[in-house]
Amino acid sequence: HQHAEALRKNMTPAEQILWLRLNKSQLGFRFKAQHPIDIFIADFYCHQFKLVVEIDGGIHEQKKEYDEGRTAELEQLGLTIIRFTNEEVLSDIDSVIKKISMYLVSSVADTAPSP
């Protein structure tokens, strides 16, 4: 997918910062950057837990309705979407990583076989 490849090469500063913490399975699970899903391209995607992580920049304030529709469509595909603002990523990356990690840990617990 050429558009996804172009987006990977031109990540925003916030996307670059988050990618440095998500790539190479640093949280214990593989994430892909700018991953095509249906007609969309997710900022970050963890296939194992069908988790989409989106970073909303300033432009997203004007696109709130579009983002809500996009989220609804992705959820219909069985995906979970977690959204952060550019400011959250740039000013408090540790909290962002903690929220993503908490989701992953709870997902692992949900999929663990019962004793």
Side-chain angles (χ1 to χ4, degrees):
H1 199 279
Q2 291 176 337
H3 186 57
E5 192 174 316
L7 289 171
R8 275 191 293 277
K9 289 180 182 175
N10 295 295
M11 282 193 214
T12 67
E15 289 170 342
Q16 290 173 6
I17 287 169
L18 184 54
W19 183 235
L20 287 173
R21 301 287 294 270
L22 293 179
N23 73 356
K24 299 179 184 159
S25 301
Q26 291 179 71
L27 296 183
F29 304 96
R30 183 170 183 220
F31 278 84
K32 293 182 178 184
Q34 306 300 332
H35 184 69
I37 300 171
D38 195 38
I39 62 169
F40 305 105
I41 297 177
D43 290 341
F44 302 99
Y45 181 62
C46 178
H47 179 75
Q48 185 172 353
F49 296 108
K50 296 185 176 188
L51 173 65
V52 172
V53 178
E54 293 282 290
I55 302 175
D56 298 338
I59 185 112
H60 287 271
E61 286 305 312
Q62 294 119 27
K63 293 176 31 180
K64 214 170 207 59
E65 198 172 291
Y66 168 80
D67 285 342
E68 288 170 3
R70 172 184 159 114
T71 294
E73 287 189 49
L74 289 169
E75 286 173 342
Q76 286 180 345
L77 296 173
L79 305 174
T80 298
I81 295 81
I82 300 176
R83 290 187 171 282
F84 299 99
T85 64
N86 272 343
E87 292 75 26
E88 286 176 288
V89 174
L90 295 172
S91 67
D92 196 0
I93 187 65
D94 290 334
S95 288
V96 169
I97 293 299
K98 186 174 183 175
K99 288 177 187 171
I100 295 169
S101 294
M102 286 172 46
Y103 176 83
L104 294 170
V105 166
S106 70
S107 295
V108 169
D110 290 345
T111 59
S114 299

